[in-house]
PDB file of all heavy atoms in Angstrom:
ATOM      1  N   GLY A   1      -6.340  31.167  70.077  1.00  0.00           N
ATOM      2  CA  GLY A   1      -6.809  32.552  70.102  1.00  0.00           C
ATOM      3  C   GLY A   1      -8.092  32.713  70.879  1.00  0.00           C
ATOM      4  O   GLY A   1      -8.387  33.797  71.405  1.00  0.00           O
ATOM      5  N   ALA A   2      -8.857  31.634  71.002  1.00  0.00           N
ATOM      6  CA  ALA A   2     -10.132  31.703  71.748  1.00  0.00           C
ATOM      7  C   ALA A   2      -9.926  31.839  73.250  1.00  0.00           C
ATOM      8  O   ALA A   2     -10.874  32.186  73.959  1.00  0.00           O
ATOM      9  CB  ALA A   2     -10.973  30.433  71.462  1.00  0.00           C
ATOM     10  N   ILE A   3      -8.699  31.634  73.708  1.00  0.00           N
ATOM     11  CA  ILE A   3      -8.466  31.788  75.154  1.00  0.00           C
ATOM     12  C   ILE A   3      -8.556  33.265  75.543  1.00  0.00           C
ATOM     13  O   ILE A   3      -8.814  33.575  76.701  1.00  0.00           O
ATOM     14  CB  ILE A   3      -7.098  31.212  75.572  1.00  0.00           C
ATOM     15  CG1 ILE A   3      -7.106  30.967  77.105  1.00  0.00           C
ATOM     16  CG2 ILE A   3      -5.953  32.138  75.164  1.00  0.00           C
ATOM     17  CD1 ILE A   3      -5.884  30.264  77.608  1.00  0.00           C
ATOM     18  N   ILE A   4      -8.357  34.150  74.587  1.00  0.00           N
ATOM     19  CA  ILE A   4      -8.447  35.590  74.918  1.00  0.00           C
ATOM     20  C   ILE A   4      -9.880  35.961  75.322  1.00  0.00           C
ATOM     21  O   ILE A   4     -10.065  36.546  76.389  1.00  0.00           O
ATOM     22  CB  ILE A   4      -7.933  36.434  73.757  1.00  0.00           C
ATOM     23  CG1 ILE A   4      -6.430  36.208  73.577  1.00  0.00           C
ATOM     24  CG2 ILE A   4      -8.216  37.916  73.997  1.00  0.00           C
ATOM     25  CD1 ILE A   4      -5.768  36.956  72.472  1.00  0.00           C
ATOM     26  N   PRO A   5     -10.929  35.623  74.538  1.00  0.00           N
ATOM     27  CA  PRO A   5     -12.272  35.860  75.051  1.00  0.00           C
ATOM     28  C   PRO A   5     -12.575  35.039  76.292  1.00  0.00           C
ATOM     29  O   PRO A   5     -13.343  35.496  77.150  1.00  0.00           O
ATOM     30  CB  PRO A   5     -13.183  35.485  73.901  1.00  0.00           C
ATOM     31  CG  PRO A   5     -12.386  34.730  72.925  1.00  0.00           C
ATOM     32  CD  PRO A   5     -10.982  35.211  73.117  1.00  0.00           C
ATOM     33  N   MET A   6     -11.958  33.853  76.432  1.00  0.00           N
ATOM     34  CA  MET A   6     -12.172  33.055  77.636  1.00  0.00           C
ATOM     35  C   MET A   6     -11.626  33.775  78.876  1.00  0.00           C
ATOM     36  O   MET A   6     -12.256  33.812  79.930  1.00  0.00           O
ATOM     37  CB  MET A   6     -11.545  31.677  77.491  1.00  0.00           C
ATOM     38  CG  MET A   6     -12.138  30.790  76.395  1.00  0.00           C
ATOM     39  SD  MET A   6     -13.746  30.108  76.865  1.00  0.00           S
ATOM     40  CE  MET A   6     -13.238  28.814  77.968  1.00  0.00           C
ATOM     41  N   VAL A   7     -10.432  34.357  78.726  1.00  0.00           N
ATOM     42  CA  VAL A   7      -9.841  35.099  79.847  1.00  0.00           C
ATOM     43  C   VAL A   7     -10.626  36.373  80.091  1.00  0.00           C
ATOM     44  O   VAL A   7     -10.852  36.771  81.234  1.00  0.00           O
ATOM     45  CB  VAL A   7      -8.362  35.426  79.553  1.00  0.00           C
ATOM     46  CG1 VAL A   7      -7.806  36.374  80.603  1.00  0.00           C
ATOM     47  CG2 VAL A   7      -7.539  34.149  79.546  1.00  0.00           C
ATOM     48  N   MET A   8     -11.079  37.033  79.009  1.00  0.00           N
ATOM     49  CA  MET A   8     -11.929  38.219  79.152  1.00  0.00           C
ATOM     50  C   MET A   8     -13.184  37.882  79.957  1.00  0.00           C
ATOM     51  O   MET A   8     -13.698  38.710  80.717  1.00  0.00           O
ATOM     52  CB  MET A   8     -12.333  38.752  77.790  1.00  0.00           C
ATOM     53  CG  MET A   8     -11.232  39.432  77.010  1.00  0.00           C
ATOM     54  SD  MET A   8     -11.738  39.867  75.334  1.00  0.00           S
ATOM     55  CE  MET A   8     -13.033  41.057  75.669  1.00  0.00           C
ATOM     56  N   ALA A   9     -13.679  36.634  79.788  1.00  0.00           N
ATOM     57  CA  ALA A   9     -14.900  36.215  80.482  1.00  0.00           C
ATOM     58  C   ALA A   9     -14.721  36.219  81.999  1.00  0.00           C
ATOM     59  O   ALA A   9     -15.699  36.358  82.750  1.00  0.00           O
ATOM     60  CB  ALA A   9     -15.329  34.854  79.995  1.00  0.00           C
ATOM     61  N   PHE A  10     -13.485  36.061  82.485  1.00  0.00           N
ATOM     62  CA  PHE A  10     -13.263  36.129  83.935  1.00  0.00           C
ATOM     63  C   PHE A  10     -13.567  37.532  84.435  1.00  0.00           C
ATOM     64  O   PHE A  10     -13.913  37.693  85.624  1.00  0.00           O
ATOM     65  CB  PHE A  10     -11.813  35.750  84.255  1.00  0.00           C
ATOM     66  CG  PHE A  10     -11.560  34.286  84.301  1.00  0.00           C
ATOM     67  CD1 PHE A  10     -10.995  33.625  83.226  1.00  0.00           C
ATOM     68  CD2 PHE A  10     -11.887  33.544  85.411  1.00  0.00           C
ATOM     69  CE1 PHE A  10     -10.773  32.262  83.265  1.00  0.00           C
ATOM     70  CE2 PHE A  10     -11.666  32.185  85.478  1.00  0.00           C
ATOM     71  CZ  PHE A  10     -11.107  31.524  84.383  1.00  0.00           C
ATOM     72  N   GLY A  11     -13.417  38.534  83.573  1.00  0.00           N
ATOM     73  CA  GLY A  11     -13.815  39.901  83.935  1.00  0.00           C
ATOM     74  C   GLY A  11     -15.297  40.106  83.779  1.00  0.00           C
ATOM     75  O   GLY A  11     -15.987  40.489  84.698  1.00  0.00           O
ATOM     76  N   CYS A  12     -15.808  39.814  82.564  1.00  0.00           N
ATOM     77  CA  CYS A  12     -17.220  39.948  82.269  1.00  0.00           C
ATOM     78  C   CYS A  12     -17.553  39.109  81.047  1.00  0.00           C
ATOM     79  O   CYS A  12     -16.817  39.145  80.066  1.00  0.00           O
ATOM     80  CB  CYS A  12     -17.602  41.421  82.047  1.00  0.00           C
ATOM     81  SG  CYS A  12     -19.328  41.690  81.674  1.00  0.00           S
ATOM     82  N   ASN A  13     -18.646  38.368  81.101  1.00  0.00           N
ATOM     83  CA  ASN A  13     -19.047  37.525  79.990  1.00  0.00           C
ATOM     84  C   ASN A  13     -19.511  38.299  78.761  1.00  0.00           C
ATOM     85  O   ASN A  13     -19.399  37.840  77.659  1.00  0.00           O
ATOM     86  CB  ASN A  13     -20.166  36.581  80.410  1.00  0.00           C
ATOM     87  CG  ASN A  13     -19.723  35.471  81.327  1.00  0.00           C
ATOM     88  OD1 ASN A  13     -20.516  34.710  81.862  1.00  0.00           O
ATOM     89  ND2 ASN A  13     -18.406  35.362  81.564  1.00  0.00           N
ATOM     90  N   VAL A  14     -19.986  39.561  78.998  1.00  0.00           N
ATOM     91  CA  VAL A  14     -20.572  40.328  77.887  1.00  0.00           C
ATOM     92  C   VAL A  14     -19.535  40.634  76.812  1.00  0.00           C
ATOM     93  O   VAL A  14     -19.712  40.285  75.639  1.00  0.00           O
ATOM     94  CB  VAL A  14     -21.245  41.606  78.420  1.00  0.00           C
ATOM     95  CG1 VAL A  14     -21.658  42.524  77.244  1.00  0.00           C
ATOM     96  CG2 VAL A  14     -22.448  41.247  79.256  1.00  0.00           C
ATOM     97  N   PRO A  15     -18.414  41.315  77.122  1.00  0.00           N
ATOM     98  CA  PRO A  15     -17.437  41.558  76.070  1.00  0.00           C
ATOM     99  C   PRO A  15     -16.800  40.294  75.533  1.00  0.00           C
ATOM    100  O   PRO A  15     -16.360  40.234  74.381  1.00  0.00           O
ATOM    101  CB  PRO A  15     -16.388  42.481  76.749  1.00  0.00           C
ATOM    102  CG  PRO A  15     -16.543  42.225  78.171  1.00  0.00           C
ATOM    103  CD  PRO A  15     -17.990  41.908  78.397  1.00  0.00           C
ATOM    104  N   ALA A  16     -16.719  39.272  76.382  1.00  0.00           N
ATOM    105  CA  ALA A  16     -16.170  37.995  75.925  1.00  0.00           C
ATOM    106  C   ALA A  16     -17.026  37.354  74.857  1.00  0.00           C
ATOM    107  O   ALA A  16     -16.512  36.844  73.844  1.00  0.00           O
ATOM    108  CB  ALA A  16     -16.009  37.031  77.102  1.00  0.00           C
ATOM    109  N   VAL A  17     -18.343  37.404  75.010  1.00  0.00           N
ATOM    110  CA  VAL A  17     -19.255  36.876  73.981  1.00  0.00           C
ATOM    111  C   VAL A  17     -19.134  37.712  72.694  1.00  0.00           C
ATOM    112  O   VAL A  17     -19.133  37.145  71.588  1.00  0.00           O
ATOM    113  CB  VAL A  17     -20.714  36.875  74.485  1.00  0.00           C
ATOM    114  CG1 VAL A  17     -21.682  36.542  73.358  1.00  0.00           C
ATOM    115  CG2 VAL A  17     -20.890  35.892  75.625  1.00  0.00           C
ATOM    116  N   MET A  18     -18.996  39.011  72.843  1.00  0.00           N
ATOM    117  CA  MET A  18     -18.822  39.863  71.665  1.00  0.00           C
ATOM    118  C   MET A  18     -17.524  39.535  70.937  1.00  0.00           C
ATOM    119  O   MET A  18     -17.486  39.487  69.692  1.00  0.00           O
ATOM    120  CB  MET A  18     -18.825  41.328  72.081  1.00  0.00           C
ATOM    121  CG  MET A  18     -20.168  41.803  72.635  1.00  0.00           C
ATOM    122  SD  MET A  18     -20.120  43.493  73.249  1.00  0.00           S
ATOM    123  CE  MET A  18     -19.908  44.374  71.732  1.00  0.00           C
ATOM    124  N   ALA A  19     -16.462  39.266  71.692  1.00  0.00           N
ATOM    125  CA  ALA A  19     -15.188  38.855  71.085  1.00  0.00           C
ATOM    126  C   ALA A  19     -15.305  37.494  70.419  1.00  0.00           C
ATOM    127  O   ALA A  19     -14.776  37.281  69.327  1.00  0.00           O
ATOM    128  CB  ALA A  19     -14.086  38.840  72.137  1.00  0.00           C
ATOM    129  N   ALA A  20     -16.045  36.596  71.039  1.00  0.00           N
ATOM    130  CA  ALA A  20     -16.241  35.249  70.449  1.00  0.00           C
ATOM    131  C   ALA A  20     -17.038  35.343  69.149  1.00  0.00           C
ATOM    132  O   ALA A  20     -16.905  34.490  68.273  1.00  0.00           O
ATOM    133  CB  ALA A  20     -16.953  34.353  71.444  1.00  0.00           C
ATOM    134  N   GLY A  21     -17.874  36.369  69.019  1.00  0.00           N
ATOM    135  CA  GLY A  21     -18.660  36.565  67.792  1.00  0.00           C
ATOM    136  C   GLY A  21     -17.759  36.800  66.573  1.00  0.00           C
ATOM    137  O   GLY A  21     -18.242  36.699  65.436  1.00  0.00           O
ATOM    138  N   GLN A  22     -16.479  37.144  66.823  1.00  0.00           N
ATOM    139  CA  GLN A  22     -15.544  37.394  65.688  1.00  0.00           C
ATOM    140  C   GLN A  22     -14.770  36.154  65.313  1.00  0.00           C
ATOM    141  O   GLN A  22     -13.944  36.225  64.376  1.00  0.00           O
ATOM    142  CB  GLN A  22     -14.562  38.517  66.085  1.00  0.00           C
ATOM    143  CG  GLN A  22     -15.212  39.786  66.602  1.00  0.00           C
ATOM    144  CD  GLN A  22     -16.213  40.363  65.630  1.00  0.00           C
ATOM    145  OE1 GLN A  22     -15.958  40.442  64.432  1.00  0.00           O
ATOM    146  NE2 GLN A  22     -17.388  40.741  66.138  1.00  0.00           N
ATOM    147  N   LEU A  23     -14.998  35.026  65.963  1.00  0.00           N
ATOM    148  CA  LEU A  23     -14.322  33.778  65.598  1.00  0.00           C
ATOM    149  C   LEU A  23     -14.739  33.377  64.188  1.00  0.00           C
ATOM    150  O   LEU A  23     -15.812  33.754  63.693  1.00  0.00           O
ATOM    151  CB  LEU A  23     -14.629  32.665  66.595  1.00  0.00           C
ATOM    152  CG  LEU A  23     -14.056  32.897  68.016  1.00  0.00           C
ATOM    153  CD1 LEU A  23     -14.483  31.723  68.926  1.00  0.00           C
ATOM    154  CD2 LEU A  23     -12.521  32.996  67.972  1.00  0.00           C
ATOM    155  N   ARG A  24     -13.932  32.576  63.559  1.00  0.00           N
ATOM    156  CA  ARG A  24     -14.028  32.377  62.100  1.00  0.00           C
ATOM    157  C   ARG A  24     -15.265  31.583  61.663  1.00  0.00           C
ATOM    158  O   ARG A  24     -15.874  31.920  60.641  1.00  0.00           O
ATOM    159  CB  ARG A  24     -12.746  31.657  61.609  1.00  0.00           C
ATOM    160  CG  ARG A  24     -12.651  31.571  60.123  1.00  0.00           C
ATOM    161  CD  ARG A  24     -11.259  31.157  59.699  1.00  0.00           C
ATOM    162  NE  ARG A  24     -11.144  31.077  58.263  1.00  0.00           N
ATOM    163  CZ  ARG A  24     -10.030  30.779  57.622  1.00  0.00           C
ATOM    164  NH1 ARG A  24      -8.941  30.501  58.317  1.00  0.00           N
ATOM    165  NH2 ARG A  24      -9.991  30.704  56.315  1.00  0.00           N
TER     166      ARG A  24
END
């Protein structure tokens, strides 16, 4: 599931870090 924020990071690191903040 962490690949989704990783792929988001190719667009922008900011929302990807926010998504990673929801990891368990």
